[in-house]
């Protein structure tokens, strides 16, 4: 059973910053591009916001460009997401997982995707 573990969420004011971290099983870390997804309250779709490939190449959703930075640490098997200039619309539960192509995952997609961690909640509010 693959186990992913996310941490670092919390309550932050608009314009603030948070750094999320995810511990990834070595077997997954070595072969998969990894990403951070988020699921906003009341939304059944889980959205991919940032991707980092094994060679360090990154890709961001338009909503994250210029504000979020994803990185991976090959020594610790972690994937981090630095989030700056946070906005209320960034409020969501954030998850890390492999990236296989789809950027929006429906509930059916989530079930077929495999294991997910518990996520970490980010609330942006004044």
């Amino acid at each position: 059973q693959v186990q992913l573990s996310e941490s670092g969420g919390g309550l932050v004011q608009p314009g603030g910053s948070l750094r999320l971290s995810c511990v990834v099983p070595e077997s997954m870390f070595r072969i998969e591009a990894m990403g951070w997804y988020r699921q906003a309250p009341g939304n059944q779709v889980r959205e991919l916001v940032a991707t980092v490939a094994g060679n360090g190449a990154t890709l961001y959703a338009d909503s994250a460009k210029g504000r979020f930075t994803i990185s991976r640490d090959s020594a610790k098997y972690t994937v981090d997401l630095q989030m700056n200039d946070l906005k209320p619309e960034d409020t969501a539960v954030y998850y890390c997982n492999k990236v296989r192509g789809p950027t929006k995952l429906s509930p059916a997609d989530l079930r077929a995707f495999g294991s997910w961690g518990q996520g970490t909640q980010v609330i942006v509010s004044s």
Side-chain angles (χ1 to χ4, degrees), residues 17-82:
S17 298
L18 283 174
R19 188 176 184 88
L20 308 183
S21 188
C22 176
V23 179
V24 182
E26 180 182 350
S27 58
M28 177 182 287
F29 189 94
R30 288 188 178 278
I31 64 173
E32 301 279 5
M34 295 297 300
W36 280 93
Y37 300 77
R38 68 184 181 188
Q39 189 161 353
N43 194 337
Q44 292 192 308
V45 173
R46 195 164 292 180
E47 173 195 20
L48 177 65
V49 294
T51 303
V52 59
N55 63 2
T58 58
L59 188 65
Y60 298 94
D62 287 344
S63 59
K65 285 179 182 176
R67 301 188 300 125
F68 294 3
T69 303
I70 189 171
S71 59
R72 58 192 290 157
D73 187 323
S74 299
K76 299 178 181 178
Y77 304 122
T78 57
V79 178
D80 289 356
L81 186 68
Q82 177 67 42

